[in-house]
Amino acid sequence: MGKGIRYSGEFKQEAVNQVVVHGYSVGEVADRLGISSKTLYGWVKKLSKPTVKQQEEVDLKAEIARLKHELKRTEQERDILKEAAVFFAGESKNTTRS
């Protein structure tokens, strides 16, 4: 089969089951189905995990993205406060010298 072909989730899961459940080698299943071993290894890695673990990974990725966004916002706020502190420190010096 050529490049750019989209396989159904059912096809992928059955290919993974042949490797994980039935014990066939990745090379044997890949040859029989007409897909590359690299593709099948990727499917095995992704689809052989229990659904709960897959959901946990999705949740963790979402949490990481949220925390990165929050960190960026916090760093911006910190930088603004630093600039304000420098500004007001300069203003304070100017008013006390007069």
Side-chain angles (χ1 to χ4, degrees):
M1 296 188 176
K3 288 185 175 182
I5 295 176
R6 299 279 181 195
Y7 299 99
S8 69
E10 193 174 280
F11 178 84
K12 293 176 185 179
Q13 189 61 58
E14 184 54 38
V16 169
N17 287 345
Q18 288 182 28
V19 173
V20 175
V21 176
H22 301 295
Y24 295 108
S25 72
V26 170
E28 183 181 357
V29 174
D31 288 342
R32 196 167 359 114
L33 296 177
I35 59 176
S36 73
S37 295
K38 183 178 179 181
T39 299
L40 185 53
Y41 274 116
W43 295 349
V44 168
K45 184 178 178 182
K46 182 178 179 183
L47 300 175
S48 64
K49 298 176 188 173
T51 307
V52 172
K53 187 161 184 152
Q54 288 175 354
Q55 185 58 44
E56 287 175 356
E57 285 184 13
V58 168
D59 292 344
L60 286 174
K61 287 179 182 178
E63 179 71 2
I64 289 169
R66 185 188 69 76
L67 289 171
K68 283 182 178 180
H69 178 71
E70 185 176 331
L71 177 62
K72 184 177 180 180
R73 182 183 53 81
T74 304
E75 288 173 340
Q76 289 173 340
E77 290 174 354
R78 179 205 60 204
D79 292 343
I80 291 170
L81 290 172
K82 279 184 179 180
E83 290 177 17
V86 168
F87 174 78
F88 287 117
E91 288 292 311
S92 176
K93 287 180 183 177
N94 291 339
T95 57
T96 57
R97 291 184 184 171
S98 306

